[in-house]
Amino acid sequence: MKFEGCLLAVKDISASKHFYEKVLHQNAVMDIGVHVTFEGFSLQQGYAELVGVTVDSVKEQSHNFQLYFEVEDLDKVYAEMKSISGLLWVHEIKEYPWGQRDIRVYDPDNHIVEIAEDMNMVIKRFLNQGMSAEKVAKRTMFPIEVVKQYASCFDI
């Protein structure tokens, strides 16, 4: 058995497709109207009817699932997304104890979308700030060997 991705039930395939293509810069690999597939996930309009459940049983804003994306430059993505009117935010830039920063927004169907810094960039940021590899390892919870390997790749 091979996992192929997840499927999001959506009300308006056009609005959802626009969000994922224009806001999150995803490329559709298949588009058959009411079903659009991106790399790793799909959108489906009319999901309840398709699987034979009642429309009102498809919950909105359940807060128990999210799509997760990583970027190298979170500040750039944040600035771009702040310029989008009507975008609903779960939260703006937030930094976690391990140093990774992220933002979360809702898609048009109130699914949570997280956009986080790639951990390689977090390690690079800490090393560029003058933290020792040992301190970076402790803060990020990455093994010291991994941090040292990243440091050698970043030429720091």
Side-chain angles (χ1 to χ4, degrees):
M1 185 179 309
K2 179 183 172 193
F3 178 72
E4 290 292 328
C6 60
L7 182 139
L8 301 175
V10 301
K11 289 181 182 174
D12 181 341
I13 196 75
S14 296
S16 293
K17 181 180 171 190
H18 178 270
F19 175 83
Y20 286 98
E21 287 183 332
K22 303 303 181 202
V23 176
L24 298 181
H25 307 288
Q26 300 301 295
N27 296 312
V29 295
M30 182 179 73
D31 183 345
I32 56 173
V34 296
H35 182 93
V36 178
T37 300
F38 297 94
E39 290 184 20
F41 69 100
S42 300
L43 308 174
Q44 177 72 49
Q45 184 174 307
Y47 177 76
E49 296 87 352
L50 180 71
V51 298
V53 298
T54 61
V55 173
D56 64 349
S57 71
V58 178
K59 304 292 181 202
E60 287 185 35
Q61 203 169 29
S62 63
H63 292 143
N64 64 359
F65 174 85
Q66 73 176 16
L67 291 179
Y68 177 76
F69 297 88
E70 286 187 346
V71 295
E72 288 187 1
D73 189 344
L74 183 66
D75 294 315
K76 179 182 174 187
V77 171
Y78 173 72
E80 179 183 315
M81 295 184 81
K82 283 299 288 182
S83 71
I84 300 170
S85 65
L87 190 61
L88 297 176
W89 291 81
V90 177
H91 65 77
E92 296 189 24
I93 293 181
K94 182 178 187 178
E95 185 170 329
Y96 295 92
W98 55 92
Q100 187 179 37
R101 299 176 315 137
D102 76 349
I103 57 177
R104 285 186 175 88
V105 297
Y106 290 108
D107 79 356
D109 290 278
N110 293 315
H111 300 109
I112 295 175
V113 176
E114 177 183 11
I115 303 165
E117 285 180 300
D118 180 304
M119 282 303 294
N120 294 336
M121 297 295 99
V122 175
I123 291 170
K124 184 176 183 178
R125 178 167 38 93
F126 286 158
L127 292 170
N128 281 333
Q129 290 172 354
M131 288 177 70
S132 69
E134 291 75 14
K135 285 185 179 181
V136 173
K138 184 173 181 175
R139 173 87 188 268
T140 62
M141 298 177 279
F142 272 52
I144 185 66
E145 299 79 23
V146 173
V147 172
K148 286 181 177 178
Q149 182 180 8
Y150 285 147
S152 68
C153 293
F154 296 140
D155 202 28
I156 295 173

